[in-house]
Amino acid sequence: MKEIQKLYDRIIQRANINLRELEFDVNPYVQNVIPFEQMIKFYAFFGISPHHRLNFQFKNSNLAGSYFLGQCRITNSLLYKSDIRGDELKRAGDLFEYQGFEIPVSRDEEIEITDSLLIKTLVHNFSHDPETLEEFFIKDTISMNYANIHGAPSDGCFLGSFATVDLTTMRDSVIGNFAYVQAGEISHLDIAPGTVWVRVPGEFNFIYTHPQEELNHYIYFKAGIAPQGQLIDFVEDRKEAFQRVFDVVNIEQSIPVPSSASLDRYAVSKSPIHIGENVLVSQRAFLQNAWLGKGANAQENCYIINSRLEGCNVTAHGAKIIEADMGTNVFVGFNSFLKGGPDSRLTIGKDSIVMPHTIIDIKEPLEIPAGSLVWGMIKSAKDLKNHSISIEKFSKINGGLSMGNMFFEGDGASFIAGFQDRIHHILEANGAFFNGSDKKGHAQKNQYISFNTLQPYPEGPRKGLYPTIVIKP
Amino acid sequence: MKEIQKLYDRIIQRANINLRELEFDVNPYVQNVIPFEQMIKFYAFFGISPHHRLNFQFKNSNLAGSYFLGQCRITNSLLYKSDIRGDELKRAGDLFEYQGFEIPVSRDEEIEITDSLLIKTLVHNFSHDPETLEEFFIKDTISMNYANIHGAPSDGCFLGSFATVDLTTMRDSVIGNFAYVQAGEISHLDIAPGTVWVRVPGEFNFIYTHPQEELNHYIYFKAGIAPQGQLIDFVEDRKEAFQRVFDVVNIEQSIPVPSSASLDRYAVSKSPIHIGENVLVSQRAFLQNAWLGKGANAQENCYIINSRLEGCNVTAHGAKIIEADMGTNVFVGFNSFLKGGPDSRLTIGKDSIVMPHTIIDIKEPLEIPAGSLVWGMIKSAKDLKNHSISIEKFSKINGGLSMGNMFFEGDGASFIAGFQDRIHHILEANGAFFNGSDKKGHAQKNQYISFNTLQPYPEGPRKGLYPTIVIKP
């Protein structure tokens, strides 16, 4: 295991050099988080289908338990149970529009992960940085459990547990636990845990910060200890159910799935389950007593339990919905944790937007009216008042708004339009609007994926490292 | 499935062009033998270990259910449940000795399979042809169920079911069902089914032919029908046991295996089983109530049932031993079928050589004395007299010997010495002589293999074909 230890040391050192101005040492965070022995225990896997570009290059890396789709190049990196989905990348010949510029994409974009350590991290989407159209790079970066790197190139960064960076190029920055950043371009920032920040320079700026002490009950992680809290417990409690899914080569589909929908063979589904037309359930999603109406989706690391989604619902990467009824077109953002109970169901009316990284954890029934924008931490009807507003009202903001820990400045209509466009795009990409012949998306394309497994050297100095692997059409 | 059909047609055509002088049409033989649907059903798999060279290149091929180890390059070929073991190839810098020449090997030898269709075929060993040291080629060739291509480059050939070509370069030839050829170099020959031919030009020539009608009970295969007979039934009856072995990702080892031995995770073992020191059990071997003493081996497609092997036994690719007791150092050649019964056990004394493709099928107990050379078809003690001789006696032949269907001419001592050297080499290569530190062979090296699976395009025009895959250290 000499080589893998050297590689690990090298990655840590490179991240630390990048983060020296922030006086941030990644060492104590990553110590003992993954024992090396775990890194040889799980196979990596990749998908092949006629509907996805194919270009994998793996070199001098450990890929334990990680999944790859599309176009990915991994070099000198340790990827532990991460999902690298290169299936929404830009293609050669595309025109990338940016502030009046139309920039041609010269070659197919690739996700390029170099000298990085990603733990249970989701990497997806395309990079929105006009400076680097063909390379969605992740370099000298360390990300912890359940982080999302979503269309966000990264150089020299540390992402805490359940952190999400979305459509943002980041350099030499630290993103705290459960922080969400969508800010275009950032550099040398140390984002506090529980921050939810959405900014389009010149248009608007939305910022919310979870109360630190309350957040610690859900996710707490600092130097020297492993991530802990309710979110970690929740996921760990359901870990075993995934075991069987990964242990067998071919799994039998026990649930009826319409021909326009797809239920990934690496998802867990516990009856009763209803899968409607055009539904997409991604790998590592967990469904238990769940009703998914037409065009609803459950993305990677989502949990939908004792809940009903009426249709065209987006459940973004890492979102959890428990004991809830969601109207049509409800959007639930990344890593949100919406937890009702058997006697305290959560109801969210149609067309509502639940901001990324929202926590709703209620002991009494709660009804959120249709067309709401919801954020922050909500434990009661009282909290809801301070952490929601009607989308209509929000659209009329021109100037600023402050509610509790939330500050907004700029154009409310632009903020809402941005979200709605994006939700529409997500539904479209996922195949929610498929009409039997046109508008195919992931739900239709993912039905025809075959899976392949890879394992590392089981012994010798390269133990734990994978050989060089190149896969092309 | 258009592409795979085109590839199939192209392979058939190329083989037929090569075999035109023999007026042999492969078409009716291969029709319906594998439905295309089967070709997308099974994953291919390859091994990675620190003890094996690693160089795989797969291009425009179907590899359904096939296994690869070492150095293999597969192009425009259909390989159905075949084993391609490139783990005994020559290495750059080796000196190849041939009739007084010492020829340096300029680069690592590779198995190169091009424009060929191999069905349940084993490819192993290195090519012994001094004209092609670095390329063990199999080109424009079709081989049927349970054929062995053992160190035998092939260009434009057809191998019938259970045919073996061993250390022989073959061109434009047809090898009949259950024929065994070890003859250095052959060209434009049509070898009759059931022929067993061992020749070293200028030294000796051994030839035996199974009685056609009796052989038909064991293996019968002609144009227009699928291979049938006792041998096929025997294998088909045990097919299901392999299902589980291939269906799970990690299999638990239920049988104690000494640290110097290896029992492949793709072998079937049904208790009680004893695995001694230095024992090698290869993938697709089948053990049931089997006792394997120190240094014994069971190679690919071997079946050892209700039998005891005392130690240092070679059970070559495809050999079957049922209800038998084998002394130490007994060699059982390729595809031999040794079948005793509960009340009619077969006993073979130590140091005996059972020639490749021998059939022993008895209804009464039979004891073969130590130091025997055995061949042909034996169903009784009377048959044994005509199909065996003491090795000592055979070594004294100088001129010729004829017994029943067997004809020998040349130097008996040279024939026996050749066999014994080879048996010694096989035991050595398989690790039978490992002393705890030196003389490692497959038994010790194969413990540290990790397995990887590959699958073809599941849909679209390339359905059934695998993408281009390159794997290097």
Side-chain angles (χ1 to χ4, degrees), chain A residues 450 452-456 462 473, chain B residues 448 450 452-456 462 473:
Chain A
S450 66
N452 300 264
T453 65
L454 298 171
Q455 301 218 46
R462 304 201 70 213
Chain B
Y448 299 111
S450 66
N452 300 262
T453 65
L454 299 171
Q455 301 217 47
R462 304 200 70 213

Side-chain angles (χ1 to χ4, degrees), chain B residues 105 110 114 126 147 205 246 281 335 344 351 408 419 435 453 458 463:
Chain B
V105 177
E110 284 180 346
T114 317
F126 64 94
N205 195 15
F246 281 92
V281 181
N335 282 349
S344 55
D351 301 322
F408 180 80
F419 251 102
N435 61 12
T453 65
K463 180 173 175 180

Side-chain angles (χ1 to χ4, degrees), chain B residues 47-287:
Chain B
I48 289 178
S49 96
H51 300 296
H52 296 90
R53 294 268 159 137
L54 183 60
N55 191 0
F56 296 121
Q57 296 194 46
F58 306 119
K59 207 169 169 178
N60 197 42
S61 296
N62 173 281
L63 312 170
S66 293
Y67 174 64
F68 302 88
L69 186 61
Q71 313 212 88
C72 319
R73 184 190 299 251
I74 318 298
T75 313
N76 302 337
S77 294
L78 305 174
L79 270 58
Y80 183 72
K81 293 192 179 180
S82 291
D83 288 305
I84 316 299
R85 272 183 56 191
D87 61 346
E88 281 189 18
L89 301 172
K90 298 185 282 287
R91 291 193 173 193
D94 286 358
L95 280 179
F96 184 76
E97 298 190 19
Y98 184 78
Q99 295 186 350
F101 290 97
E102 278 204 336
I103 319 173
V105 177
S106 64
R107 56 183 174 82
D108 287 347
E109 185 184 10
E110 284 180 346
I111 297 176
E112 299 190 7
I113 303 177
T114 317
D115 302 310
S116 293
L117 165 62
L118 309 186
I119 302 172
K120 298 186 182 177
T121 294
L122 173 94
V123 180
H124 190 212
N125 215 277
F126 64 94
S127 67
H128 287 63
D129 186 339
E131 298 172 26
T132 173
L133 294 180
E134 294 85 4
E135 287 165 31
F136 175 172
F137 57 82
I138 296 172
K139 205 173 151 280
D140 300 346
T141 289
I142 291 172
S143 73
M144 303 303 295
N145 315 38
Y146 309 109
N148 296 302
I149 300 180
H150 200 251
S154 170
D155 187 349
C157 295
F158 177 84
L159 284 77
S161 204
F162 289 99
T164 299
V165 185
D166 190 14
L167 315 185
T168 299
T169 301
M170 53 186 150
R171 286 194 168 78
D172 304 347
S173 294
V174 172
I175 315 295
N177 300 326
F178 209 66
Y180 173 85
V181 174
Q182 184 193 332
E185 224 173 332
I186 64 170
S187 172
H188 295 88
L189 289 188
D190 189 348
I191 307 284
T195 303
V196 178
W197 180 28
V198 185
R199 171 186 76 171
V200 173
E203 292 193 36
F204 57 78
N205 195 15
F206 173 106
I207 193 152
Y208 168 82
T209 314
H210 279 287
Q212 200 60 57
E213 209 157 308
E214 281 188 69
L215 183 64
N216 287 348
H217 293 295
Y218 294 95
I219 176 68
Y220 180 64
F221 170 40
K222 63 167 197 173
I225 61 154
Q228 51 186 249
Q230 255 202 68
L231 285 178
I232 296 287
D233 294 345
F234 178 86
V235 171
E236 294 285 321
D237 287 349
R238 284 153 188 87
K239 215 165 123 177
E240 237 184 75
F242 282 97
Q243 190 88 30
R244 199 185 84 85
V245 166
F246 281 92
D247 276 355
V248 296
V249 174
N250 294 302
I251 209 156
E252 266 175 52
Q253 190 67 270
S254 55
I255 293 157
V257 176
S259 65
S260 63
S262 89
L263 169 60
D264 195 275
R265 65 74 82 238
Y266 289 102
V268 166
S269 42
K270 299 194 166 197
S271 291
I273 301 285
H274 168 80
I275 304 282
E277 297 281 337
N278 298 354
V279 160
L280 171 73
V281 181
S282 299
Q283 77 275 11
R284 297 193 227 264
F286 180 102
L287 306 182

